[in-house]
Short mmCIF file of all heavy atoms in Angstrom, two decimals:
data_model
loop_
_atom_site.label_atom_id
_atom_site.label_comp_id
_atom_site.label_asym_id
_atom_site.label_seq_id
_atom_site.Cartn_x
_atom_site.Cartn_y
_atom_site.Cartn_z
N ASP A 498 86.23 0.24 158.71
CA ASP A 498 87.31 1.24 158.79
C ASP A 498 86.81 2.48 159.52
O ASP A 498 87.49 3.02 160.40
CB ASP A 498 87.78 1.61 157.39
CG ASP A 498 88.54 0.47 156.75
OD1 ASP A 498 88.89 -0.48 157.50
OD2 ASP A 498 88.79 0.51 155.52
N GLU A 499 85.55 2.90 159.13
CA GLU A 499 85.00 4.10 159.76
C GLU A 499 84.85 3.88 161.25
O GLU A 499 85.19 4.73 162.08
CB GLU A 499 83.63 4.43 159.15
CG GLU A 499 83.74 5.10 157.80
CD GLU A 499 82.39 5.26 157.14
OE1 GLU A 499 81.36 5.00 157.79
OE2 GLU A 499 82.38 5.62 155.94
N LEU A 500 84.35 2.67 161.59
CA LEU A 500 84.12 2.31 163.00
C LEU A 500 85.41 2.37 163.79
O LEU A 500 85.48 2.89 164.91
CB LEU A 500 83.53 0.90 163.05
CG LEU A 500 82.64 0.60 164.24
CD1 LEU A 500 81.41 1.49 164.20
CD2 LEU A 500 82.21 -0.86 164.20
N ARG A 501 86.46 1.85 163.15
CA ARG A 501 87.75 1.83 163.82
C ARG A 501 88.22 3.26 164.11
O ARG A 501 88.69 3.58 165.20
CB ARG A 501 88.77 1.09 162.97
CG ARG A 501 89.98 0.70 163.82
CD ARG A 501 90.96 -0.21 163.15
NE ARG A 501 90.34 -1.35 162.50
CZ ARG A 501 90.44 -1.60 161.20
NH1 ARG A 501 91.12 -0.81 160.43
NH2 ARG A 501 89.88 -2.65 160.68
N GLU A 502 88.05 4.13 163.10
CA GLU A 502 88.45 5.53 163.27
C GLU A 502 87.71 6.17 164.43
O GLU A 502 88.27 6.86 165.27
CB GLU A 502 88.14 6.31 161.98
CG GLU A 502 89.35 6.40 161.06
CD GLU A 502 88.98 7.01 159.72
OE1 GLU A 502 88.18 7.96 159.71
OE2 GLU A 502 89.47 6.48 158.71
N ARG A 503 86.35 5.88 164.43
CA ARG A 503 85.51 6.44 165.50
C ARG A 503 86.00 5.95 166.86
O ARG A 503 86.14 6.72 167.81
CB ARG A 503 84.06 5.98 165.35
CG ARG A 503 83.31 6.67 164.27
CD ARG A 503 82.85 8.07 164.77
NE ARG A 503 82.66 8.89 163.60
CZ ARG A 503 81.57 8.81 162.82
NH1 ARG A 503 80.60 8.01 163.18
NH2 ARG A 503 81.47 9.54 161.73
N THR A 504 86.27 4.64 166.93
CA THR A 504 86.71 4.06 168.20
C THR A 504 88.00 4.73 168.66
O THR A 504 88.15 5.09 169.83
CB THR A 504 86.95 2.54 168.04
OG1 THR A 504 85.81 2.02 167.39
CG2 THR A 504 87.13 1.84 169.35
N ASP A 505 88.92 4.94 167.71
CA ASP A 505 90.18 5.60 168.06
C ASP A 505 89.90 6.99 168.63
O ASP A 505 90.47 7.40 169.65
CB ASP A 505 91.08 5.72 166.83
CG ASP A 505 91.62 4.36 166.43
OD1 ASP A 505 91.42 3.41 167.24
OD2 ASP A 505 92.21 4.23 165.34
N GLU A 506 88.97 7.68 167.90
CA GLU A 506 88.61 9.02 168.33
C GLU A 506 88.07 9.00 169.76
O GLU A 506 88.49 9.77 170.62
CB GLU A 506 87.51 9.56 167.40
CG GLU A 506 87.92 10.82 166.66
CD GLU A 506 86.93 11.12 165.55
OE1 GLU A 506 85.74 11.34 165.87
OE2 GLU A 506 87.35 11.06 164.38
N VAL A 507 87.11 8.04 169.94
CA VAL A 507 86.47 7.93 171.27
C VAL A 507 87.53 7.63 172.32
O VAL A 507 87.55 8.23 173.40
CB VAL A 507 85.38 6.83 171.24
CG1 VAL A 507 84.92 6.49 172.64
CG2 VAL A 507 84.20 7.31 170.40
N ASN A 508 88.42 6.70 171.97
CA ASN A 508 89.48 6.34 172.94
C ASN A 508 90.33 7.55 173.30
O ASN A 508 90.69 7.77 174.46
CB ASN A 508 90.36 5.23 172.37
CG ASN A 508 89.64 3.89 172.46
OD1 ASN A 508 88.64 3.79 173.17
ND2 ASN A 508 90.12 2.91 171.73
N ARG A 509 90.64 8.34 172.26
CA ARG A 509 91.47 9.52 172.50
C ARG A 509 90.72 10.51 173.42
O ARG A 509 91.27 11.02 174.41
CB ARG A 509 91.82 10.19 171.17
CG ARG A 509 93.02 9.53 170.48
CD ARG A 509 93.61 10.43 169.41
NE ARG A 509 92.68 10.75 168.36
CZ ARG A 509 92.42 9.98 167.31
NH1 ARG A 509 93.06 8.82 167.17
NH2 ARG A 509 91.54 10.34 166.40
N SER A 510 89.39 10.69 173.07
CA SER A 510 88.59 11.62 173.88
C SER A 510 88.53 11.12 175.31
O SER A 510 88.63 11.91 176.27
CB SER A 510 87.17 11.72 173.34
OG SER A 510 87.20 12.05 172.01
N LYS A 511 88.33 9.78 175.44
CA LYS A 511 88.20 9.20 176.77
C LYS A 511 89.48 9.43 177.58
O LYS A 511 89.46 9.87 178.73
CB LYS A 511 87.92 7.70 176.63
CG LYS A 511 87.32 7.12 177.90
CD LYS A 511 86.91 5.68 177.68
CE LYS A 511 86.73 5.02 179.03
NZ LYS A 511 87.37 3.76 179.15
N ALA A 512 90.61 9.19 176.91
CA ALA A 512 91.90 9.36 177.59
C ALA A 512 92.10 10.81 178.02
O ALA A 512 92.57 11.11 179.13
CB ALA A 512 93.02 8.91 176.66
#
Side-chain angles (χ1 to χ4, degrees):
D498 290 347
E499 282 173 8
L500 208 63
R501 197 171 312 120
E502 264 173 40
R503 284 281 156 79
T504 311
D505 289 350
E506 241 168 61
V507 168
N508 284 345
R509 277 198 299 277
S510 306
K511 199 173 162 228

